[in-house]
Amino acid sequence: MVRPSLTLLAVAVLLALGLAWITLTWGGSGAPLTAAPNQNAELMELTGTTARLSGQTHLRTAVAYAQAVYAANQDPDRPGAVLLVRDDDPAAAIAATRLQQVPVNAPMLFVTDGGTRVPDATMDELLRLNPKGVMVDNNVQVYLAGKIPESVQQQVEKAGFRVRRLFAENAVALAEELDEFLAVLKSNHSEEILIAAPQAIDYAFAGATWNAHHGSALAFVTPDGVPPETRRMLRRRAPSRAYLYLFAPPNVVSASVAAELSRYGHIQRIPGTTPQEMAVRWAAYRDEGRRLGWWFGERARRIGWGITEPGHNAILANPADWREVVPTSVLSHLGKHAFLLLTNPDGTLPASVRAYLQLLKPARTHPSQQIFNFGWIAGQGVPAATARQFSDLLRVAEPSAPAP
Amino acid sequence: MLLKVARFSSARDAVDFAREARAAGWRITLPDAAYPVTWASLRATLLGAVLGGILLGTVGGLGELGLIRLRGLEPLFAAPLLGVVFLLAVAGASLGGLIAALICLRPVPLLTPGQPYRVCIDGRGNNEAMANLARRYGGSLDGQGSLQTEAAPPPSAREMTLPRWLAWGIAVVTAAVLLIATFYIWLVALFRGPNSNQETRIGYTLKNAQRIPAETPASVGRALSQMMGGPTLAVPEDPIAAAILAPVAASRNQTLVYGGTPASQEIEALAATALRALPDSRVLVVVPVEAPAYALPPAYAAAFFRAPVIPADSRGIPAPVRAALEGRRGLRIFLGGPDGLIPESVAAGLRRYGTVQRVASGDIYRHALLWARGRWDDFGWGINERFQRDGYPCFALANPETPDFAAAGLPLAYRGNNGPLLYTPRDRLDGLTEQYLWRLSPDYFVTPSEGPFINLRILGGPDAVSYSAQARADLASEVRAYRNQGAGMSGLALLGWAWFFIGLAGSIWALFAMPARLPETGFYPRLSWPLAILVLSPVGIIAFLLCYQGRPVSYDEGKPVYVRPLWARTLSATTMSLGAGLALMIAIFYLMQLNGLPLFTTFAGTRLFWLGSPLAAWMWALMVIPAFFLSTLLFTGPMMAEMAGTRYRGGVRLAAPVVALSLVTASLGMWTLVWYWMNFHPLLAEEDRWLWITPLWWGGTLGYLTALIPNYLMERAGWMGGGS
């Protein structure tokens, strides 16, 4: 028989070796950031309640969002994976935001030139982020979503990353492809489905950031009606009922198409006649109720930010350039979990946003219980004056505290 | 007291006699039984546990009180109040109990057959009745009559064969894999980055911590005035002057601009002017002139509450200030410097104006925290991490070695998202500050966007506060789910870790206790039980004691067998068929995580899509099958061969159905719990999170309990020995 002390020693030796091996093969340490803090100050302006995140190009802007959320300084700061989408297909990017949520945990970065090239900005950020890999999917580190050719996959693999390519010819097919992939990953189809229209994709920006936060499904309807990909998606929910949330006004998606969708589930149209208004109404939207019941128990649905009181984080973005808007979804996924508000295309603050922010204005109380708001200014499309207005609207209401 | 000894030829007869004797009301002890634990060793273990628990628990308590830095254990503070004390106390108790138990481990000789089996009867009973009862079970009382004893067995097999070495090797590797995987998270908590090259960063903005974009204190002042907007008040580039003028600026709603004007007045005159500008304040803050770093945390509080700031040194407060204070009474005066900087004599001199209270610490980092936590009536930030649940604390973070930056940041005390000042050294976020932020980090109950959140503004360049320290502060203050704190310890995770520590200690104890105190046990139980206790923790320890404590040994055909009731035989049989199997399953799971669990998309689009998910379907097959083979071929198979006296192949054939049934049932119980937690509760624990251990270990225990059912039925049918 073996002496117990020998057994214990053997285990201890293996333990020490294993821990040493882990420490030595860690991603290794890198060079810290030593740049001056006012480098790129104009791209990253701060106010009392807001911070801007932008880069010189739309590629670098997406990188700025990822850098804000993932410090990559220690293990928990790294993403599980990185999501790469084309920078010329807004609908595909919006469909892909649902992949950013756990269990994947990914920021969104761009590939350019019709989806054939990984630009330096994106590759540098990939190397800095050094994704950990998604444990429940073969430790995949990069997801390519959309009509991205295999050459890009090879490019990324050559840099030393594990890649999964979720290919689809267009955004409508991508929505279905992603839906099935995530169903396999989570072994469940989500009953909450956002419906968007690629012909007026601005309306769906607010839904895209919600999807990164919560992971609802997303499907498209086209000017011709409900496409077969969407029909298949909706039928797969059976026998559960689907709950559909339509991000388009009646002049974009007609009542008859909505009625067609109602055959597959309970459909609600998000109020709002402009994308700006719809973003505001979605921020305040909260739909709770029936989802699944099984006699001795039930599971409720709870969808929508439902934010109508102070103490939250809002992103302000200009919908004129979608490439600055959609990647902000990563800010909804971690950190302060921000919801999206849109400016007018000329950069001014819409009246609906100004009115809504009155609901969010905190009152001054004792500092130990004080509520604050916080705002992200996304990209370059929001002028400084608008950012300042936004900051003032988010700020705690004066009067100033009296002396004790 | 009369002690009579009845002797029997077999342990079973003795046990049956003892049962009936007990029913008749006599007190029975069985001296010739197995006792892994004695009263003496139990007392020693408890003593060791209490001592160890108190020792480490005190360390935890000092950390919770913010008195010491628990370096590397900062993420533990994300747990609720007293969580750190609890975990360290349990770890200490486990270690102390283990050491004590090992110290007083006394080996016992083999319970050899061939000797009569004794039963001690304590009681003044009817001798005649006792003797009759004993005779009925084939024994004799006090040596009367002769006994037919069992035949002496051949010497038990003690040599190590190749299959035994293999089994031992697998057991060692399995235990090592389990320990490496569980210790990994502690390693991760120690590591401070950066994890990769950060030079491609555009700036220093992080989600919870942004840096004021300025390199020098004067430019910080300018940057802040631009950030906050509105009217400004220029102050000289002197931290004390800024501290004095900040409350004045706040009362006039002006943003302080550090270094915006050359020094014009003496500090004393400035203080007197400022004092006169704030006539209504009931609070005074006294700061040390000689150490601006100590002066600034009180200055932040004073600025927000518009309380005048008075400079003092070892001689006292300056004459102009004393003149300006004339006639004021009933004030609350706070001394913002330790004894060495503002001596007690100064305090005494101030008592004529009101009550004097010192709020300071020699440790500069703790000093800043005292001012952030403190609240006296309505003065003071009151951001106390032990009770703070619902406010949105916003901080300024600076390096006390360059107090100019902290002084330039004074507008952050009263404009915008304002809040107190915290300190850190350059390279590594200060331990007390980090513990504070982890404990303060908000827990969300309903949805992550519900708030609160923390925000920090960093003052100074990378030479003052490094990117690493900023990123660490950003990580510590993140919003996390109450039950699954991710990179931090949650209450639920604490329970899982406490469970694990107890099991680890019990496993090591069983490893040593079995050869010493249970010499009749064979080779395979001596491997299976420690592995089982490692996975089953307290449940495993209890099962171990129920199987061995006070159990007599009988020799069936020369093989030692412990005499147990049916339910205890079930426990033993389940452990024999599962002990190694459960540990193997979990170890294989961890090893698979190294490469990532496989995901099968072949069924996508069909009704069987869910089969592709590792956590739903494939995983258990990938784990159960190797565990089944290893367990049957290397553990249970050879063990049953030895027990039944057959060859290896016969033993494997006996073992295979039993192990299969046990493993399948156990995995159903285990993975049902794990899957339920993963899908119906938002406990998406990843393998590098503190919570990961809880569903795995509790799932293992549930699997063991589930497997008791088929094992009970198999025991009843007599398939397994259940007597080892």
Side-chain angles (χ1 to χ4, degrees), chain B residues 254-334:
Chain B
Q254 293 166 323
T255 309
L256 199 83
V257 182
Y258 195 71
T261 180
S264 47
Q265 278 181 289
E266 286 292 331
I267 293 289
E268 290 124 19
L270 206 61
T273 317
L275 197 55
R276 287 197 189 89
L278 298 164
D280 302 321
S281 175
R282 311 294 311 157
V283 173
L284 278 181
V285 175
V286 180
V287 298
V289 173
E290 289 145 3
Y294 283 90
L296 282 163
Y300 271 64
F304 177 76
F305 288 95
R306 282 78 160 149
V309 171
I310 293 175
D313 56 18
S314 43
R315 291 162 303 174
I317 59 175
V321 175
R322 214 172 305 130
L325 271 179
E326 209 47 51
R328 301 243 219 153
R329 294 287 179 269
L331 301 173
R332 290 201 68 175
I333 303 174
F334 293 92

Side-chain angles (χ1 to χ4, degrees), chain B residues 24-88:
Chain B
W26 297 328
R27 280 186 47 189
I28 301 290
T29 48
L30 296 165
D32 299 326
Y35 290 100
V37 174
T38 61
W39 281 118
S41 73
L42 184 65
R43 277 196 295 271
T45 310
L46 283 176
L47 183 67
V50 166
L51 283 177
I54 288 177
L55 193 69
L56 281 190
T58 309
V59 171
L62 290 174
E64 294 238 14
L65 289 172
L67 292 170
I68 63 172
R69 292 170 173 81
L70 297 177
R71 200 175 156 108
L73 297 183
E74 292 92 353
L76 292 184
F77 286 82
L81 196 61
L82 295 182
V84 180
V85 178
F86 170 73
L87 186 67
L88 288 181

Side-chain angles (χ1 to χ4, degrees), chain B residues 353-397:
Chain B
Y353 304 112
T355 56
V356 178
Q357 188 176 350
R358 190 187 294 276
V359 180
S361 166
D363 180 333
I364 185 78
Y365 306 102
R366 189 156 172 265
H367 179 76
L369 288 172
L370 285 178
W371 276 93
R373 280 188 198 115
R375 179 178 172 170
W376 307 273
D377 292 334
D378 283 339
F379 176 74
W381 299 103
I383 301 174
N384 187 329
E385 78 277 25
R386 280 162 232 143
F387 311 112
Q388 172 72 358
R389 300 283 184 267
D390 311 295
Y392 289 57
C394 290
F395 298 101
L397 187 65

Side-chain angles (χ1 to χ4, degrees), chain B residues 4-8 14-15 17-18 28-32 117-121:
Chain B
K4 304 189 182 76
V5 180
R7 288 179 173 74
F8 297 84
V15 168
F17 165 76
I28 301 290
T29 48
L30 296 165
D32 299 326
Y117 207 91
R118 295 174 299 162
V119 178
C120 294
I121 311 161

Side-chain angles (χ1 to χ4, degrees), chain A residues 135-139, chain B residues 589 592-593 595-599 614-615 619:
Chain A
M135 191 261 287
V136 290
D137 181 15
N138 302 290
N139 275 358
Chain B
F589 182 52
M592 286 196 330
Q593 286 173 18
N595 199 37
L597 299 179
L599 183 77
L615 288 176
M619 185 170 67

Side-chain angles (χ1 to χ4, degrees), chain A residues 147-404:
Chain A
K147 195 174 175 187
I148 300 177
E150 229 181 286
S151 56
V152 173
Q153 178 170 359
Q154 285 156 5
Q155 243 192 308
V156 178
E157 276 170 347
K158 210 184 309 165
F161 297 107
R162 265 197 219 180
V163 182
R164 182 184 281 277
R165 194 168 71 109
L166 298 159
F167 184 85
E169 278 295 326
N170 52 53
V172 178
L174 181 66
E176 192 191 3
E177 176 77 24
L178 282 174
D179 190 59
E180 262 321 280
F181 174 71
L182 279 161
V184 171
L185 193 65
K186 298 185 179 178
S187 61
N188 185 39
H189 287 101
S190 171
E191 287 100 1
E192 300 157 350
I193 309 177
L194 311 187
I195 309 283
Q199 64 270 27
I201 202 66
D202 291 22
Y203 288 96
F205 286 157
T209 57
W210 166 261
N211 260 356
H213 167 79
H214 186 84
S216 308
L218 189 129
F220 288 109
V221 291
T222 60
D224 303 325
V226 183
E229 291 91 344
T230 304
R231 279 184 210 275
R232 283 197 295 271
M233 264 181 72
L234 296 177
R235 260 186 251 126
R236 286 195 188 106
R237 265 71 185 166
S240 311
R241 292 290 281 171
Y243 290 88
L244 310 172
Y245 300 89
L246 183 52
F247 279 80
N251 59 324
V252 172
V253 174
S254 65
S256 62
V257 177
E260 181 72 23
L261 285 170
S262 73
R263 286 169 45 194
Y264 300 98
H266 176 61
I267 180 155
Q268 303 179 65
R269 200 190 282 271
I270 309 303
T273 50
T274 64
Q276 289 75 12
E277 207 189 317
M278 196 172 278
V280 169
R281 300 295 284 267
W282 178 244
Y285 197 88
R286 169 59 69 88
D287 182 38
E288 294 168 328
R290 166 181 286 275
R291 183 168 167 178
L292 269 179
W294 55 87
W295 290 24
F296 56 88
E298 80 280 343
R299 200 171 169 207
R301 72 177 188 276
R302 182 186 281 128
I303 186 167
W305 297 99
I307 290 174
T308 50
E309 76 291 327
H312 297 279
N313 180 201
I315 307 169
L316 188 66
N318 189 331
D321 186 356
W322 72 267
R323 302 169 308 181
E324 287 191 339
V325 184
V326 178
T328 61
S329 48
V330 69
L331 297 165
S332 308
H333 164 56
L334 284 179
K336 302 181 176 70
H337 298 266
F339 60 92
L340 183 69
L341 294 174
L342 298 172
T343 64
N344 293 321
D346 62 0
T348 56
L349 213 55
S352 51
V353 171
R354 261 182 273 126
Y356 175 63
L357 289 178
Q358 296 300 324
L359 289 175
L360 269 53
K361 206 158 191 43
R364 179 68 71 181
T365 62
H366 192 274
S368 63
Q369 302 298 321
Q370 181 64 54
I371 295 179
F372 290 118
N373 289 320
F374 192 80
W376 293 111
I377 310 294
Q380 310 242 38
V382 180
T386 311
R388 198 160 285 281
Q389 269 186 358
F390 186 59
S391 173
D392 289 341
L393 284 166
L394 289 174
R395 210 172 44 195
V396 176
E398 305 304 337
S400 41

